[in-house]
Amino acid sequence: MLKEVNRTVEKFMIVLIAITILISFFYPQVITSYLDPSYVNYFLMIVMLAMGLNLSINDFVVIIKQPKYICLGIIAQFVLMPLLAYIVARLFNFDLALIVGLVLIGTCPGGVASNVITYLSDGDTALSIGMTSVNTVLATFLTPLITFLILKTSVNVDTLAIFLSIIQIVIIPLVLGFIINHYFSKSVKKISPIFPTFAILSVIFIIAIVISYNVEKILSVGLLIFLSVVVLNLLGHICGFAIGKIFRMPLDKSKTFSIEIAMQNSALATTLATNAFPTLAMACVPGVVYSIWQNLFGAVVAYVFKRLK
């Protein structure tokens, strides 16, 4: 029963996201009447908890068995994507707030959505989860550090605020889920099929909150911010797949790299922009738009990749 529910939610994920976007954009009061912006943190924590509950010591064997792929994933995630984000922001001649928003997208790790899309694409799901988990843990230190290194000449980066936010929102629930799964694995296994559903629904609620409370900001930036987000996401997919081909990876791993590098934890980027850069109101907008685009385009990628042999 739980597996059937999960398959149904995964199957109609893109439809649910599309409906959520439309309602949040055209009828934001429907969302704002019931959901507070602070709930984003809690939904993010649910996503991380669900990821942790799916992790066991065996999952980290992939790090030992496939160290080359994990190391390449770390470099691509924390060197390539931040640089691409900064270059795209400069090419579009954005002001400081939007530069900060795009750079935060680039410096954040992959999100749970990347694991779902990898699964739907017939990619290497174990590698995807391994890359997401390792990069999420490393993001505790690397996201504040890289953000500071890129933006230090432009804006005062509150690295401590970013660090504390990641600890609270990402690391604690992730570790808690891992511990629960380790000591109560039999009980967790019975209900594990529903975890992806909780993660997907949490992401949908995050999208709803972020859009409904930022409709005016989204409209104010217009087409350019949308184009910049599309360019950054496409570059992530292309470069990720190219890395797979350059290093002669099997097709399933090339798919995984494409998805894992391009699909960022944009909800985290939005939250960090709000917490660490309170004086730059528009810094959260790129994360909002990226979240919308990557989930919609992710479904297209899954459709194409599944048929790519």
Side-chain angles (χ1 to χ4, degrees), residues 255-273:
K255 294 178 184 179
T256 302
F257 260 74
S258 173
I259 296 165
E260 193 67 29
I261 302 308
M263 297 196 69
Q264 304 292 82
N265 193 336
S266 52
L268 178 61
T270 303
T271 302
L272 294 179

Side-chain angles (χ1 to χ4, degrees), residues 52-58 177-193 195:
L53 287 168
N54 271 304
L55 292 177
S56 66
I57 293 176
N58 291 333
F178 176 79
I179 292 172
I180 292 172
N181 188 32
H182 181 71
Y183 288 102
F184 305 98
S185 58
K186 290 184 179 180
S187 299
V188 170
K189 192 173 183 179
K190 293 179 182 178
I191 59 173
S192 61
F195 294 158

Side-chain angles (χ1 to χ4, degrees), residues 57 67 81 111 165 169 192 198 204 239 249 257 282 309:
I57 293 176
M81 275 303 284
S165 292
I169 298 169
S192 61
F198 276 118
I204 287 172
C239 291
M249 298 180 192
F257 260 74
M282 298 297 288
K309 305 298 181 183

